[in-house]
Amino acid sequence: QRPVSVVKELLENSLDADATQIDISCQKGGLESIIVTDDGTGIHPRDLPLACTRFATSKLVNVEDLKSIRTFGFRGEALASASMVARVAITSRVRPRPRRNTSSANN
């Protein structure tokens, strides 16, 4: 995918996480780096190891949850795709915790 597609997916992730402020920084048109920072709800530490895994989501606990999804997509789509072709680092802080949680995935 093109870098703009990754940025679009990451922007949707931020919006799904109820972010009210989103900062996007790209170097060399996103080919060198893409950094998205937001004030959203964050990724829970137990979900970080799966954040770059295809078809993994923390949005569904049971089949009935499929009827109530109101998001732009499954947050793992962009992260899983990007981690297949690039080094991905995720730093997340779950509201209101002051401590950051970090995970990395390399292609």
Side-chain angles (χ1 to χ4, degrees):
Q1 289 191 6
R2 298 177 307 159
V4 69
S5 298
V6 174
V7 171
K8 174 197 167 284
E9 294 289 337
L10 294 173
L11 177 61
E12 289 176 354
N13 290 356
S14 294
L15 294 171
D16 284 344
D18 297 325
T20 58
Q21 181 174 338
I22 304 168
D23 297 313
I24 300 171
S25 171
C26 296
Q27 292 184 354
K28 296 191 178 180
L31 295 174
E32 188 170 300
S33 78
I34 299 171
I35 298 171
V36 177
T37 306
D38 66 48
D39 64 348
T41 56
I43 301 173
H44 194 279
R46 73 172 172 265
D47 295 328
L48 275 175
L50 292 176
C52 291
T53 304
R54 289 184 70 200
F55 310 119
T57 182
S58 60
K59 291 182 181 180
L60 302 174
V61 176
N62 58 55
V63 175
E64 293 301 313
D65 291 343
L66 287 169
K67 297 177 183 176
S68 62
I69 294 175
R70 287 173 176 59
T71 64
F72 289 101
F74 291 103
R75 292 167 95 171
E77 292 172 9
L79 300 173
S81 296
S83 69
M84 289 182 196
V85 296
R87 287 184 305 267
V88 174
I90 303 167
T91 301
S92 183
R93 184 181 327 173
V94 179
R95 285 187 204 149
R97 294 174 57 157
R99 196 170 133 251
R100 291 183 179 183
N101 306 294
T102 301
S103 179
S104 295
N106 293 315
N107 58 339

